[in-house]
PDB file of all heavy atoms in Angstrom:
ATOM      1  N   ARG A   6      -2.030  -9.470  13.638  1.00 81.00           N
ATOM      2  CA  ARG A   6      -2.015  -8.938  12.278  1.00 81.00           C
ATOM      3  C   ARG A   6      -3.228  -8.029  12.045  1.00 81.00           C
ATOM      4  O   ARG A   6      -3.118  -6.944  11.482  1.00 81.00           O
ATOM      5  CB  ARG A   6      -1.991 -10.086  11.287  1.00 81.00           C
ATOM      6  CG  ARG A   6      -1.697  -9.607   9.879  1.00 81.00           C
ATOM      7  CD  ARG A   6      -1.676 -10.722   8.888  1.00 81.00           C
ATOM      8  NE  ARG A   6      -3.063 -11.195   8.776  1.00 81.00           N
ATOM      9  CZ  ARG A   6      -3.424 -12.448   8.590  1.00 81.00           C
ATOM     10  NH1 ARG A   6      -2.521 -13.381   8.495  1.00 81.00           N
ATOM     11  NH2 ARG A   6      -4.665 -12.786   8.492  1.00 81.00           N
ATOM     12  N   LEU A  13      -3.267   0.872  11.951  1.00 90.00           N
ATOM     13  CA  LEU A  13      -2.802   1.658  10.814  1.00 90.00           C
ATOM     14  C   LEU A  13      -3.950   2.475  10.222  1.00 90.00           C
ATOM     15  O   LEU A  13      -3.801   3.667   9.931  1.00 90.00           O
ATOM     16  CB  LEU A  13      -2.178   0.743   9.750  1.00 90.00           C
ATOM     17  CG  LEU A  13      -1.624   1.446   8.519  1.00 90.00           C
ATOM     18  CD1 LEU A  13      -0.494   2.383   8.895  1.00 90.00           C
ATOM     19  CD2 LEU A  13      -1.172   0.432   7.498  1.00 90.00           C
ATOM     20  N   ALA A  29     -12.453  26.528  16.085  1.00 72.00           N
ATOM     21  CA  ALA A  29     -13.417  27.585  16.335  1.00 72.00           C
ATOM     22  C   ALA A  29     -12.809  28.623  17.260  1.00 72.00           C
ATOM     23  O   ALA A  29     -12.036  28.293  18.162  1.00 72.00           O
ATOM     24  CB  ALA A  29     -14.666  27.000  16.972  1.00 72.00           C
ATOM     25  N   GLN A  44     -29.110  48.630  15.242  1.00 83.00           N
ATOM     26  CA  GLN A  44     -29.461  49.928  14.679  1.00 83.00           C
ATOM     27  C   GLN A  44     -29.341  49.901  13.158  1.00 83.00           C
ATOM     28  O   GLN A  44     -30.188  50.447  12.459  1.00 83.00           O
ATOM     29  CB  GLN A  44     -28.564  51.035  15.258  1.00 83.00           C
ATOM     30  CG  GLN A  44     -28.932  52.427  14.784  1.00 83.00           C
ATOM     31  CD  GLN A  44     -30.320  52.840  15.220  1.00 83.00           C
ATOM     32  OE1 GLN A  44     -30.748  52.578  16.333  1.00 83.00           O
ATOM     33  NE2 GLN A  44     -31.046  53.480  14.321  1.00 83.00           N
ATOM     34  N   ALA A  66     -41.021  54.964 -10.460  1.00 79.00           N
ATOM     35  CA  ALA A  66     -41.455  54.455 -11.759  1.00 79.00           C
ATOM     36  C   ALA A  66     -41.282  55.528 -12.829  1.00 79.00           C
ATOM     37  O   ALA A  66     -40.878  55.222 -13.964  1.00 79.00           O
ATOM     38  CB  ALA A  66     -42.901  53.990 -11.685  1.00 79.00           C
ATOM     39  N   GLU A  77     -32.441  46.156  -3.404  1.00 83.00           N
ATOM     40  CA  GLU A  77     -31.148  45.479  -3.454  1.00 83.00           C
ATOM     41  C   GLU A  77     -30.015  46.423  -3.056  1.00 83.00           C
ATOM     42  O   GLU A  77     -29.113  46.050  -2.314  1.00 83.00           O
ATOM     43  CB  GLU A  77     -30.895  44.945  -4.857  1.00 83.00           C
ATOM     44  CG  GLU A  77     -29.577  44.234  -5.013  1.00 83.00           C
ATOM     45  CD  GLU A  77     -29.327  43.785  -6.438  1.00 83.00           C
ATOM     46  OE1 GLU A  77     -30.292  43.746  -7.238  1.00 83.00           O
ATOM     47  OE2 GLU A  77     -28.177  43.486  -6.744  1.00 83.00           O
ATOM     48  N   GLY A 100     -42.430  68.438   5.677  1.00 49.00           N
ATOM     49  CA  GLY A 100     -43.205  68.550   4.445  1.00 49.00           C
ATOM     50  C   GLY A 100     -42.523  67.946   3.235  1.00 49.00           C
ATOM     51  O   GLY A 100     -43.143  67.748   2.202  1.00 49.00           O
ATOM     52  N   VAL A 106     -37.206  61.274   0.380  1.00 70.00           N
ATOM     53  CA  VAL A 106     -36.980  59.854   0.127  1.00 70.00           C
ATOM     54  C   VAL A 106     -36.456  59.652  -1.287  1.00 70.00           C
ATOM     55  O   VAL A 106     -35.514  58.874  -1.514  1.00 70.00           O
ATOM     56  CB  VAL A 106     -38.280  59.042   0.357  1.00 70.00           C
ATOM     57  CG1 VAL A 106     -38.114  57.611  -0.109  1.00 70.00           C
ATOM     58  CG2 VAL A 106     -38.661  59.087   1.827  1.00 70.00           C
ATOM     59  N   PHE A 110     -32.869  58.006  -2.357  1.00 75.00           N
ATOM     60  CA  PHE A 110     -32.670  56.891  -3.267  1.00 75.00           C
ATOM     61  C   PHE A 110     -31.743  57.270  -4.420  1.00 75.00           C
ATOM     62  O   PHE A 110     -30.933  56.462  -4.861  1.00 75.00           O
ATOM     63  CB  PHE A 110     -33.995  56.361  -3.788  1.00 75.00           C
ATOM     64  CG  PHE A 110     -34.795  55.644  -2.736  1.00 75.00           C
ATOM     65  CD1 PHE A 110     -36.150  55.857  -2.605  1.00 75.00           C
ATOM     66  CD2 PHE A 110     -34.198  54.762  -1.860  1.00 75.00           C
ATOM     67  CE1 PHE A 110     -36.878  55.205  -1.642  1.00 75.00           C
ATOM     68  CE2 PHE A 110     -34.917  54.092  -0.886  1.00 75.00           C
ATOM     69  CZ  PHE A 110     -36.265  54.320  -0.774  1.00 75.00           C
ATOM     70  N   LEU A 125     -26.137  52.280 -13.579  1.00 71.00           N
ATOM     71  CA  LEU A 125     -27.466  52.779 -13.891  1.00 71.00           C
ATOM     72  C   LEU A 125     -27.389  54.103 -14.636  1.00 71.00           C
ATOM     73  O   LEU A 125     -28.095  54.315 -15.610  1.00 71.00           O
ATOM     74  CB  LEU A 125     -28.267  52.936 -12.595  1.00 71.00           C
ATOM     75  CG  LEU A 125     -29.724  53.321 -12.758  1.00 71.00           C
ATOM     76  CD1 LEU A 125     -30.481  52.201 -13.447  1.00 71.00           C
ATOM     77  CD2 LEU A 125     -30.348  53.606 -11.414  1.00 71.00           C
ATOM     78  N   PHE A 128     -23.661  58.850 -17.023  1.00 72.00           N
ATOM     79  CA  PHE A 128     -22.823  60.035 -16.823  1.00 72.00           C
ATOM     80  C   PHE A 128     -21.965  59.957 -15.572  1.00 72.00           C
ATOM     81  O   PHE A 128     -21.135  60.819 -15.332  1.00 72.00           O
ATOM     82  CB  PHE A 128     -23.679  61.303 -16.790  1.00 72.00           C
ATOM     83  CG  PHE A 128     -24.733  61.304 -15.714  1.00 72.00           C
ATOM     84  CD1 PHE A 128     -24.447  61.781 -14.451  1.00 72.00           C
ATOM     85  CD2 PHE A 128     -25.996  60.821 -15.978  1.00 72.00           C
ATOM     86  CE1 PHE A 128     -25.413  61.773 -13.467  1.00 72.00           C
ATOM     87  CE2 PHE A 128     -26.974  60.828 -14.993  1.00 72.00           C
ATOM     88  CZ  PHE A 128     -26.677  61.308 -13.731  1.00 72.00           C
ATOM     89  N   ILE A 129     -22.125  58.902 -14.772  1.00 73.00           N
ATOM     90  CA  ILE A 129     -21.313  58.751 -13.557  1.00 73.00           C
ATOM     91  C   ILE A 129     -20.212  57.746 -13.837  1.00 73.00           C
ATOM     92  O   ILE A 129     -20.467  56.616 -14.263  1.00 73.00           O
ATOM     93  CB  ILE A 129     -22.175  58.283 -12.371  1.00 73.00           C
ATOM     94  CG1 ILE A 129     -23.208  59.368 -12.036  1.00 73.00           C
ATOM     95  CG2 ILE A 129     -21.303  57.980 -11.167  1.00 73.00           C
ATOM     96  CD1 ILE A 129     -24.147  58.984 -10.937  1.00 73.00           C
ATOM     97  N   ILE A 132     -15.139  54.966  -9.733  1.00 73.00           N
ATOM     98  CA  ILE A 132     -13.982  55.505  -9.025  1.00 73.00           C
ATOM     99  C   ILE A 132     -12.724  54.696  -9.350  1.00 73.00           C
ATOM    100  O   ILE A 132     -11.644  55.237  -9.448  1.00 73.00           O
ATOM    101  CB  ILE A 132     -14.232  55.504  -7.502  1.00 73.00           C
ATOM    102  CG1 ILE A 132     -15.312  56.512  -7.160  1.00 73.00           C
ATOM    103  CG2 ILE A 132     -12.955  55.861  -6.756  1.00 73.00           C
ATOM    104  CD1 ILE A 132     -15.715  56.489  -5.714  1.00 73.00           C
TER     105      ILE A 132
END
Side-chain angles (χ1 to χ4, degrees):
R6 191 180 69 215
L13 181 62
Q44 184 63 40
E77 180 183 344
V106 171
F110 290 136
L125 186 66
F128 58 89
I129 296 177
I132 292 175

